[in-house]
Amino acid sequence: MTSPLFQTVKLNDTINLNNAIVMAPLTRCFADKDLVPTQQIADYYARRADAGLIISEATIIDPLGQGYPNTPGIFTRKQVEGWKLVTQAVHANGGKIFCQLWHCGRVAHSVYTEQQPVGASAVAWHGHVPRTEGLEYEMPRSLSTKEVKKIIKKYVKAAKNAIQAGFDGVEIHGANGYLVDQFLRQQTNLRDDKFGGSSKKRCKFALEIVDEVSAAIGADKTAIRLSPQAYVHLEYSKGDEKTYKKLLKKLNKRQICYVHLGTFSDHYTFDYLDGGKASEFIRKHYKGNFITCGNYSIDMAEEAIKNKKADLVAIGRAFIANPDLIQRVKSGQKLEEYDMKMLSQLD
Ligand SMILES: Cc1cc2nc3c(=O)[nH]c(=O)nc-3n(C[C@H](O)[C@H](O)[C@H](O)COP(=O)(O)O)c2cc1C
C-alpha cells in the first residue's frame, strides 16, 4: 500500500500510529443513566480500532458540563470502569484511543444538570438545545476566579482518570464553542480577572489546562482541539484571530502531542484567518503535529498528507457509516454514504 495515508506516523517518542487516518470524536448519546460507557460502546469502538488513532466522543469532566443526553463522563469510578471496557477492546484489536475532555459551559442545560449553566461570563447563546423539545439555552452564571481554578483541576482529575481507564492520551475539547472556546472569545468572555480582558488573558484558561494536564499525565499524551474560525455555539468578533495566533504561538513552546482542527467543513476560507482555510491558519501558526478535519474525502485526505497540509486527517461521519472504513479504503471498496438516521443505532 503506497498511499501516504497508510504509512506509520510517529507523533512523539512514545506514540506511534499505524496509519494517518484518525476517527474524529463523535458524540453518540449511548452511555447509561449514570453516564457510564457500556459493552455496546466498547464493541462499537473495537470495530473501528484499525484507525491510526480513535478520539473518543466528547466526555464530560464534571456533571455541570453536560449539554446532551447520555453523554459519557470520566469523573466517577463507575465511568472509569466503563471506559476500561472500551480501551481494552480497542487495544486488543491493535488500536489507540484518546479521550476527548469536555465541558459545555454556557451550552450545558439544567434539564441535564439541575443547575444553572456556568460560563466565562453571563452571556447566553440563542436558539434551542439539540435533542430536546425546543428548550432554549439558559443564561449562564459567570464563574468566579476561584471556580475557574477548580474547573482546571477537574480537567486534571479527568485526565488522570482517563489514563487510569487505559486511554493512550487525552484531547482537551477547546473547539466548537464549548467552555474553553468561550474563554477564548471576546463575545463570551467579558472578564476582568486574570482569565479575561486581553488576548493574552483570554488564552490563560486553555493554557493552564494544557499545562496542568501535561504536568499530570505528560505533554506527549496531551492534545487540544481548536476552532479558530468560530462556527458553532458562538460568533466571531473582530480581533479573536489575534487570540488564536497567540494561543498557537504559546502552544509551539509546549511539546504537546497534537493540535486538531474542529469543524464540520474545511472547505471555506475566512478573511479574518489570514484569508485562508481554518486548517491553513493552524498549519501556518502551529509547528507541531496537526490533525485536520472537516468533510474530507479519502482523496482529499491523501492529498493533504502528501502535500504536508497536515500530519493526520480525522474522518467523522464516514466512520459512523463504515466501521470497516480502513479495510474498504485499503481494498478500494466504495464507502457507504452517511445518513443522519444512522445515529439512532450504535453499529
Ligand atoms: C454525530 C456527530 C457527533 C459529533 N460529536 C463530536 C464530539 O463529541 N466532539 C467533537 O469535537 N466533534 C464532534 N463532531 C464533529 C466531528 O468530530 C467532525 O469534526 C465533523 O463530523 C466533520 O468531519 P466529517 O466531515 O469527516 O464528518 C460530531 C459530528 C457528528 C456528525
Side-chain angles (χ1 to χ4, degrees):
M1 180 63 60
T2 54
S3 165
L5 292 175
F6 293 106
Q7 308 301 313
T8 55
V9 182
K10 182 175 167 65
L11 285 181
N12 52 41
D13 286 346
T14 53
I15 305 179
N16 290 298
L17 308 179
N18 288 333
N19 59 64
I21 302 179
V22 175
M23 178 177 164
L26 294 159
T27 287
R28 300 303 311 271
C29 303
F30 278 92
D32 77 10
K33 65 174 181 29
D34 298 320
L35 312 185
V36 174
T38 61
Q39 185 60 50
Q40 187 198 18
I41 294 178
D43 295 341
Y44 157 84
Y45 282 112
R47 279 193 283 278
R48 291 159 175 85
D50 51 4
L53 175 68
I54 294 174
I55 303 165
S56 80
E57 62 209 274
T59 299
I60 55 178
I61 60 149
D62 179 67
L64 208 52
Q66 191 181 351
Y68 302 77
N70 297 89
T71 49
I74 185 94
F75 53 87
T76 71
R77 217 46 11 239
K78 269 168 79 178
Q79 290 161 356
V80 170
E81 292 307 311
W83 278 118
K84 281 185 186 167
L85 298 176
V86 175
T87 60
Q88 282 162 8
V90 168
H91 291 153
N93 286 357
K96 291 210 160 64
I97 181 164
F98 270 39
C99 183
Q100 192 185 49
L101 304 183
W102 191 30
H103 192 304
C104 290
R106 70 172 182 165
V107 292
H109 201 279
S110 62
V111 70
Y112 306 117
T113 65
E114 293 171 10
Q115 285 184 61
Q116 184 184 8
V118 294
S121 297
V123 182
W125 182 232
H126 48 75
H128 296 116
V129 182
R131 301 181 192 242
T132 66
E133 309 223 326
L135 276 179
E136 298 213 353
Y137 286 110
E138 297 163 311
M139 176 58 77
R141 180 173 68 72
S142 174
L143 288 161
S144 70
T145 309
K146 220 167 152 184
E147 285 177 310
V148 177
K149 292 191 171 160
K150 272 194 190 155
I151 291 195
I152 294 169
K153 298 287 177 222
K154 289 190 176 180
Y155 278 94
V156 174
K157 179 73 180 141
K160 286 185 181 164
N161 284 347
I163 297 302
Q164 213 177 73
F167 281 101
D168 298 285
V170 303
E171 176 180 288
I172 297 153
H173 196 345
N176 301 357
Y178 297 114
L179 187 63
V180 175
D181 208 2
Q182 291 161 28
F183 268 85
L184 287 164
R185 304 271 170 194
Q186 294 163 93
Q187 184 192 55
T188 41
N189 183 343
L190 311 178
R191 304 178 71 88
D192 56 9
D193 63 356
K194 66 179 261 198
F195 295 103
S198 66
S199 271
K200 189 174 170 198
K201 289 178 174 176
R202 280 190 290 275
C203 289
K204 229 170 166 34
F205 183 60
L207 288 171
E208 286 199 7
I209 297 169
V210 166
D211 287 344
E212 294 207 18
V213 167
S214 297
I217 66 164
D220 57 333
K221 296 187 181 65
T222 304
I224 189 163
R225 192 173 210 199
L226 298 171
S227 306
Q229 76 284 23
Y231 78 107
V232 66
H233 298 136
L234 41 68
E235 280 147 7
Y236 163 79
S237 311
K238 193 168 170 359
D240 280 352
E241 71 283 2
K242 244 179 33 200
T243 310
Y244 273 85
K245 280 183 195 166
K246 198 171 281 292
L247 177 63
L248 292 168
K249 197 170 159 193
K250 297 251 183 199
L251 289 172
N252 280 329
K253 301 210 175 89
R254 291 149 166 93
Q255 303 295 312
I256 61 169
C257 190
Y258 63 77
V259 170
H260 178 193
L261 168 63
T263 182
F264 269 73
S265 175
D266 189 34
H267 296 224
Y268 304 104
T269 57
F270 300 87
D271 287 348
Y272 54 87
L273 297 183
D274 303 337
K277 294 178 181 178
S279 59
E280 292 166 347
F281 180 84
I282 295 183
R283 192 58 156 175
K284 179 171 158 193
H285 296 284
Y286 181 66
K287 303 301 167 208
N289 296 318
F290 170 48
I291 308 182
T292 193
C293 183
N295 211 8
Y296 277 76
S297 65
I298 295 301
D299 287 348
M300 281 173 60
E302 199 166 84
E303 189 272 337
I305 301 294
K306 202 182 280 171
N307 294 314
K308 305 204 179 311
K309 293 179 179 169
D311 302 292
L312 302 151
V313 180
I315 305 278
R317 288 163 285 192
F319 255 117
I320 294 176
N322 300 273
D324 54 349
L325 183 135
I326 299 293
Q327 280 318 312
R328 280 179 188 245
V329 175
K330 279 187 173 168
S331 61
Q333 249 180 297
K334 209 168 159 280
L335 296 184
E336 281 297 324
E337 203 62 42
Y338 168 81
D339 185 320
M340 267 181 73
K341 289 194 200 107
M342 293 172 178
L343 293 181
S344 62
Q345 281 185 357
L346 197 66
D347 302 321

